[in-house]
Amino acid sequence: MSVTMDDAVAAETVLSRVDGEGGRLVVRGLDLEDLVAGHGFEATAALLWGAVDPGLGDPAAVATRLGAARARAFGRVPAILAATDGLAPIDVLRAGVAALSADGDRAAVLLATAAMPVLLAATARRGRGLAPVAPDPALGQVADLLRMLDGAPADPARVRALEVYLVTVADHGMNASTFAARVIAATASDPLSAVAGAIGALKGPLHGGAPGPVLDMLDAVGDPADADAWIAAALARGERLMGFGHRIYRARDPRADVLKAALADLGPRDPARAALAEAVERAARTALAARYPGRRLDTNVEFYTALLLEAVGIDRTLFTPAFAVGRVLGWTAHVLEQRATGRLIRPKSHYVGPLPEGDDYRAAANG
Ligand code: ACO
């Protein structure tokens, strides 16, 4: 018997529905396309949090409180940077969140969310030998992130493109990092601990760590004419093609199309890069369809994440932290939702190891 949790239902949620067969994502009653068209970052935060805690349901109030929380998180930046020298950016986020404390769930949710762009920008600037830039609480979270990264106000088209990305990835059912957050929250632990654990789950290449390697793959292919041969060789070596396939979607990942459209809205980009990306996507989809005819392995969110974030000017070492800047909305909403149930998550394991000598009781379904 091979045990998986593939069909297990871990929670009831009012937050989002992932329709793997139909290739559809619904967030709080809105199709992803409508969510993205009508909601910026703060409105998405209010939509998700407000579904579980009406006190966090007003976008304008959320914007004010997130601004104040960014300033508070920035106060911890010197100590966090001192403690994380040499760590990868995603590990700076993990360690940084773990070093925060807040009074009560609401304050923790706001602080965890606000800390993500502050820590991302501070670690990125340290990597470039630059001092951190303090947040501007009057700005929206996305404009402030780019401003803290660059040290100058950001072009509105870049802000919009990044905002579309962050809203697109804000919540996605019971994905691995959200599940990790809910498991931690279910012990009645605090939201900051749940977010620290979720970051640990996100960083793996089978979850949020894929977009950086997508660009590495494009660089390795180099020339559109080499795409088919490179992809065939990678598959022959038994490698996974980053940015393709999904555990739930049996149709195309709807987030890929939303991000593809955002990329087009951003305006003309490097034509050589665009041609290479197109050739690699085509080659990968064709090769995967031929190799796994019974299983649709299509472009997932991470392929276009890589292209969009690259076009926005975010370094590939910051892609997984950028994912966390968006997904923290889902993590924290799920944490609030899980805490409200008051129920511990405690599945069983199926023991298949040795039994004590001479003991004849059966090892079925034990935990
Ligand atoms: N490249 C090559 N082969 C693949 C890929 C891929 N991208 N995806 C699946 N396969 C293969 C599997 O190895 C498996 O082969 P096997 O039957 O010979 O063992 C077969 O296709 C079927 O696999 P699935 O059951 O569809 O894959 P699973 O659900 O276990 O994994 C996952 C899903 C982890 C996303 C996988 O598709 C993958 O590794 N993709 C690349 C990494 C990636 O893009 N991750 C980001 C996912 S999106 C997100 O988390 C935000």
Coordinates of all heavy atoms in Angstrom, one line a residue, residues 172 175 205-211 214 235 239-248 250 253 255 288 291-292 295-297 300-302 323 327, ligand 1:
H172 N -4.2 29.9 -3.1 CA -4.4 28.8 -4.1 C -4.7 27.5 -3.3 O -3.9 26.5 -3.4 CB -3.1 28.7 -4.9 CG -3.3 27.9 -6.2 ND1 -2.7 26.7 -6.5 CD2 -4.1 28.2 -7.2 CE1 -3.0 26.3 -7.6 NE2 -3.9 27.2 -8.1
N175 N -2.4 24.4 -1.0 CA -1.0 24.2 -1.5 C -0.1 23.8 -0.3 O -0.5 24.0 0.9 CB -0.5 25.4 -2.2 CG -0.5 26.6 -1.3 OD1 0.5 26.9 -0.7 ND2 -1.6 27.3 -1.3
P205 N 12.1 23.6 -4.7 CA 11.9 23.8 -6.1 C 10.6 23.1 -6.7 O 10.1 23.4 -7.7 CB 13.1 23.1 -6.8 CG 13.7 22.3 -5.7 CD 13.3 22.9 -4.4
L206 N 10.0 22.2 -5.9 CA 8.7 21.6 -6.4 C 7.6 22.5 -6.0 O 6.4 22.3 -6.4 CB 8.5 20.2 -5.7 CG 9.6 19.2 -6.1 CD1 9.2 17.8 -5.6 CD2 9.9 19.2 -7.6
H207 N 7.8 23.6 -5.3 CA 6.7 24.5 -4.9 C 7.1 25.9 -5.4 O 7.0 26.2 -6.6 CB 6.5 24.4 -3.4 CG 5.3 25.2 -2.9 ND1 4.3 25.7 -3.7 CD2 4.9 25.5 -1.6 CE1 3.4 26.3 -3.0 NE2 3.7 26.2 -1.7
G208 N 7.7 26.7 -4.5 CA 7.9 28.1 -4.9 C 9.3 28.4 -5.4 O 9.7 29.6 -5.7
G209 N 10.1 27.4 -5.4 CA 11.5 27.6 -5.8 C 11.8 27.4 -7.3 O 12.9 27.5 -7.8
A210 N 10.7 27.2 -8.1 CA 10.9 26.9 -9.5 C 11.3 28.1 -10.4 O 12.0 27.9 -11.4 CB 9.7 26.2 -10.1
P211 N 10.8 29.3 -10.2 CA 10.9 30.3 -11.3 C 12.4 30.7 -11.5 O 12.8 31.0 -12.6 CB 10.1 31.5 -10.8 CG 9.6 31.2 -9.4 CD 9.8 29.8 -9.2
V214 N 13.7 28.4 -13.9 CA 13.2 28.6 -15.2 C 14.1 29.5 -16.0 O 14.4 29.2 -17.2 CB 11.8 29.2 -15.2 CG1 11.3 29.7 -16.5 CG2 10.7 28.2 -14.6
L235 N 15.0 15.7 -20.5 CA 14.1 14.6 -20.1 C 14.7 13.3 -20.1 O 14.5 12.4 -19.3 CB 12.9 14.6 -21.1 CG 11.9 15.8 -20.9 CD1 10.8 15.8 -22.0 CD2 11.3 15.8 -19.5
E239 N 15.4 14.6 -15.8 CA 15.2 15.9 -15.1 C 13.8 16.4 -15.2 O 13.1 16.1 -16.2 CB 16.2 17.0 -15.7 CG 17.6 16.7 -15.3 CD 18.6 17.7 -15.9 OE1 18.1 18.7 -16.5 OE2 19.8 17.4 -15.9
R240 N 13.3 17.2 -14.3 CA 12.0 17.8 -14.4 C 12.2 19.2 -15.0 O 13.2 19.9 -14.7 CB 11.4 18.0 -13.0 CG 11.0 16.6 -12.5 CD 10.0 16.7 -11.4 NE 9.6 15.4 -11.1 CZ 8.5 15.1 -10.3 NH1 7.7 16.1 -9.9 NH2 8.2 13.9 -10.1
L241 N 11.3 19.5 -15.9 CA 11.4 20.8 -16.5 C 10.6 21.9 -15.7 O 9.4 21.7 -15.4 CB 10.7 20.8 -17.9 CG 11.3 19.7 -18.8 CD1 10.5 19.6 -20.1 CD2 12.7 20.0 -19.2
M242 N 11.4 22.8 -15.1 CA 10.8 23.8 -14.2 C 9.8 24.7 -14.9 O 10.1 25.2 -16.0 CB 11.9 24.6 -13.6 CG 12.8 23.8 -12.7 SD 11.9 23.2 -11.2 CE 12.5 21.6 -11.1
G243 N 8.7 24.9 -14.3 CA 7.6 25.7 -14.9 C 6.6 24.9 -15.7 O 5.7 25.5 -16.3
F244 N 6.6 23.6 -15.6 CA 5.6 22.8 -16.2 C 5.1 21.7 -15.3 O 5.8 21.2 -14.5 CB 6.3 22.1 -17.5 CG 6.7 23.1 -18.5 CD1 8.0 23.7 -18.4 CD2 5.8 23.6 -19.4 CE1 8.4 24.7 -19.3 CE2 6.2 24.6 -20.3 CZ 7.5 25.2 -20.2
G245 N 3.8 21.4 -15.5 CA 3.2 20.3 -14.6 C 2.6 20.9 -13.4 O 3.0 22.0 -12.9
H246 N 1.6 20.2 -12.8 CA 1.0 20.7 -11.6 C 0.3 19.5 -10.9 O -0.3 18.7 -11.6 CB 0.0 21.9 -11.8 CG -0.3 22.6 -10.6 ND1 -1.3 22.3 -9.7 CD2 0.3 23.7 -10.0 CE1 -1.3 23.1 -8.7 NE2 -0.4 24.0 -8.9
R247 N 0.3 19.5 -9.6 CA -0.3 18.4 -8.9 C -1.8 18.4 -9.1 O -2.5 17.4 -9.3 CB 0.0 18.5 -7.4 CG -0.7 17.5 -6.5 CD -0.5 16.0 -6.9 NE 0.8 15.5 -6.9 CZ 1.5 15.2 -5.8 NH1 1.0 15.2 -4.6 NH2 2.8 14.7 -5.9
I248 N -2.4 19.6 -9.1 CA -3.9 19.7 -9.2 C -4.4 19.9 -10.6 O -5.4 19.3 -11.0 CB -4.4 20.8 -8.3 CG1 -3.9 20.6 -6.8 CG2 -5.9 20.9 -8.3 CD1 -4.5 19.4 -6.1
R250 N -5.3 19.6 -14.2 CA -5.3 18.6 -15.3 C -5.6 19.4 -16.6 O -5.8 18.8 -17.6 CB -6.3 17.5 -15.1 CG -6.0 16.7 -13.8 CD -4.6 16.1 -13.9 NE -4.3 15.1 -12.9 CZ -3.3 15.2 -12.0 NH1 -2.5 16.3 -12.0 NH2 -3.0 14.2 -11.2
D253 N -2.9 25.8 -16.2 CA -2.9 26.6 -15.0 C -3.4 28.0 -15.3 O -2.8 28.7 -16.1 CB -1.5 26.7 -14.4 CG -1.3 27.4 -13.1 OD1 -2.2 28.3 -12.8 OD2 -0.3 27.1 -12.4
R255 N -3.4 30.7 -13.9 CA -2.5 31.8 -13.5 C -1.5 32.1 -14.6 O -1.0 33.2 -14.7 CB -1.8 31.4 -12.2 CG -2.9 31.2 -11.1 CD -2.2 30.6 -9.8 NE -1.7 29.3 -10.1 CZ -1.0 28.6 -9.3 NH1 -0.7 29.0 -8.1 NH2 -0.5 27.4 -9.6
L288 N 6.7 17.0 -23.4 CA 6.0 16.4 -22.2 C 4.7 15.7 -22.7 O 4.4 14.6 -22.2 CB 5.6 17.5 -21.2 CG 6.8 18.0 -20.4 CD1 6.5 19.2 -19.6 CD2 7.4 16.9 -19.4
R291 N 5.8 12.4 -24.1 CA 6.3 11.4 -23.1 C 5.2 10.9 -22.2 O 5.2 9.8 -21.7 CB 7.4 12.2 -22.3 CG 8.3 11.3 -21.5 CD 9.4 12.1 -20.9 NE 10.2 11.4 -19.9 CZ 11.3 10.9 -20.2 NH1 11.9 11.0 -21.4 NH2 12.0 10.2 -19.3
Y292 N 4.3 11.8 -21.8 CA 3.2 11.4 -20.9 C 1.8 11.7 -21.6 O 1.1 12.6 -21.2 CB 3.3 12.2 -19.6 CG 4.6 12.1 -18.9 CD1 5.6 13.0 -19.0 CD2 4.8 10.9 -18.1 CE1 6.8 12.8 -18.3 CE2 6.1 10.7 -17.5 CZ 7.0 11.7 -17.6 OH 8.2 11.5 -16.9
R295 N -1.3 12.3 -19.4 CA -1.2 13.2 -18.3 C -0.9 14.6 -18.9 O 0.1 14.8 -19.4 CB -0.1 12.8 -17.3 CG 0.2 13.8 -16.3 CD -0.8 13.8 -15.2 NE -0.4 14.6 -14.1 CZ -0.8 15.9 -13.9 NH1 -1.6 16.5 -14.8 NH2 -0.5 16.6 -12.8
R296 N -1.8 15.5 -18.7 CA -1.5 16.9 -19.3 C -0.5 17.6 -18.4 O -0.8 18.0 -17.3 CB -2.8 17.7 -19.4 CG -2.6 19.0 -20.1 CD -3.8 19.6 -20.7 NE -3.5 20.9 -21.2 CZ -4.4 21.8 -21.7 NH1 -5.7 21.5 -21.6 NH2 -4.0 23.0 -22.1
L297 N 0.6 17.8 -18.9 CA 1.7 18.6 -18.2 C 1.9 19.9 -19.0 O 2.6 19.9 -19.9 CB 3.0 17.8 -18.2 CG 2.9 16.5 -17.4 CD1 4.2 15.6 -17.5 CD2 2.6 16.7 -15.9
N300 N 2.9 26.0 -16.1 CA 2.3 26.4 -14.8 C 2.7 27.8 -14.5 O 3.4 28.5 -15.2 CB 2.7 25.4 -13.7 CG 4.2 25.4 -13.3 OD1 4.8 26.5 -13.3 ND2 4.8 24.3 -13.0
V301 N 2.2 28.3 -13.3 CA 2.4 29.7 -12.9 C 3.8 30.1 -12.9 O 4.2 31.3 -13.2 CB 1.7 29.9 -11.6 CG1 2.4 29.2 -10.5 CG2 1.6 31.4 -11.2
E302 N 4.7 29.2 -12.6 CA 6.1 29.6 -12.4 C 6.8 30.0 -13.7 O 7.8 30.8 -13.6 CB 6.9 28.5 -11.7 CG 6.3 28.0 -10.4 CD 6.4 29.0 -9.3 OE1 6.4 30.2 -9.6 OE2 6.5 28.6 -8.1
F323 N 7.5 35.6 -4.3 CA 6.3 34.8 -4.2 C 5.7 34.9 -2.8 O 4.5 35.0 -2.5 CB 6.7 33.3 -4.5 CG 5.6 32.3 -4.7 CD1 5.9 31.1 -5.3 CD2 4.3 32.6 -4.4 CE1 4.9 30.2 -5.5 CE2 3.3 31.7 -4.6 CZ 3.6 30.4 -5.1
R327 N 2.0 35.4 -1.5 CA 1.3 34.3 -0.8 C 1.1 34.5 0.7 O 0.2 33.8 1.3 CB 2.1 33.0 -1.1 CG 1.5 31.7 -0.6 CD 0.1 31.4 -1.0 NE -0.1 31.3 -2.5 CZ 0.1 30.3 -3.2 NH1 0.5 29.1 -2.7 NH2 -0.2 30.3 -4.6
Ligands
ACO1 N1 9.2 17.8 -16.1 C1 9.4 16.5 -16.4 N2 8.6 15.5 -16.0 C2 7.6 15.8 -15.2 C3 7.3 17.1 -14.9 C4 8.1 18.1 -15.4 N3 7.9 19.4 -15.1 N4 6.2 17.2 -14.1 C5 5.8 15.9 -14.0 N5 6.6 15.1 -14.6 C6 6.6 13.6 -14.7 C7 6.7 13.0 -13.3 O1 8.1 12.8 -13.1 C8 5.9 11.7 -13.5 O2 6.8 10.8 -14.2 P1 6.8 9.2 -13.8 O3 5.4 8.8 -13.9 O4 7.7 8.7 -14.9 O5 7.3 9.2 -12.4 C9 4.8 12.1 -14.4 O6 5.2 13.3 -15.1 C10 3.5 12.5 -13.7 O7 3.8 13.4 -12.7 P2 2.6 14.1 -11.9 O8 1.9 13.1 -11.1 O9 1.9 14.9 -12.8 O10 3.5 15.1 -11.0 P3 3.3 15.5 -9.5 O11 1.9 15.8 -9.2 O12 4.0 14.5 -8.7 O13 4.3 16.8 -9.4 C11 5.0 18.9 -9.8 C12 3.8 18.1 -9.7 C13 5.9 18.8 -8.5 C14 4.6 20.4 -9.9 C15 5.8 18.5 -11.0 O14 5.0 18.7 -12.2 C16 7.1 19.2 -11.2 O15 8.1 18.8 -10.6 N6 7.2 20.4 -12.0 C17 8.4 21.1 -12.1 C18 8.6 22.0 -10.9 C19 7.7 23.2 -10.9 O16 7.4 23.8 -12.0 N7 7.2 23.5 -9.7 C20 6.2 24.6 -9.5 C21 4.8 24.0 -9.4 S1 3.6 25.3 -9.3 C22 3.6 25.8 -7.7 O17 3.9 25.1 -6.8 C23 3.3 27.2 -7.4

